Amino acid sequence: MNRNIQVWNSLSGKFNTTTGKAIDPSAADNIFIAWPPILHVIHRTFPAPQHRKALDYGCGTGGFCRKLHDIGFSVRGIDYAESMIKIAKANS
């Protein structure tokens, strides 16, 4: 297996935000710093996203996909790491 894939697969537990446990600091910067301004721009650009499609390339465990889905997008997530995709599918 490619070394990069092994590394990302090993990080899937850190980015799984659906466990009910405290969010790992590795994921917290995405969720609490990066996502709010990105979601703000998306809301401003697409005030009624129903029936629109979104692709989350590098979706990890699917947290941002779920945010997009919650505001009305039809979302497809793609990721390099199989373990991340397994978590995303289990929580979608």
Side-chain angles (χ1 to χ4, degrees), residues 1 3-4 6 10 12 17-18 20 23-25 27 29 31 35 40-42 44 49 56 59 69 78 82 89:
M1 180 183 289
R3 173 80 176 125
N4 290 331
Q6 289 175 333
S10 71
S12 61
T17 59
T18 62
I23 296 173
D24 187 281
D29 62 346
I31 295 167
W35 291 3
H40 177 74
V41 169
I42 290 169
R44 203 173 61 224
D56 186 353
C59 68
H69 179 267
I78 298 172
E82 295 170 15
K89 284 181 178 180

Side-chain angles (χ1 to χ4, degrees), residues 3-71:
R3 173 80 176 125
N4 290 331
I5 293 173
Q6 289 175 333
V7 170
W8 282 108
N9 279 328
S10 71
L11 293 172
S12 61
K14 288 183 176 280
F15 290 96
N16 184 359
T17 59
T18 62
T19 62
K21 298 177 184 175
I23 296 173
D24 187 281
S26 302
D29 62 346
N30 282 334
I31 295 167
F32 298 114
I33 297 171
W35 291 3
I38 294 168
L39 288 167
H40 177 74
V41 169
I42 290 169
H43 277 289
R44 203 173 61 224
T45 307
F46 303 101
Q50 290 72 19
H51 309 295
R52 291 193 176 262
K53 295 179 181 178
L55 173 65
D56 186 353
Y57 187 79
C59 68
T61 60
F64 197 73
C65 288
R66 285 187 296 281
K67 291 285 187 187
L68 291 173
H69 179 267
D70 290 347
I71 62 173

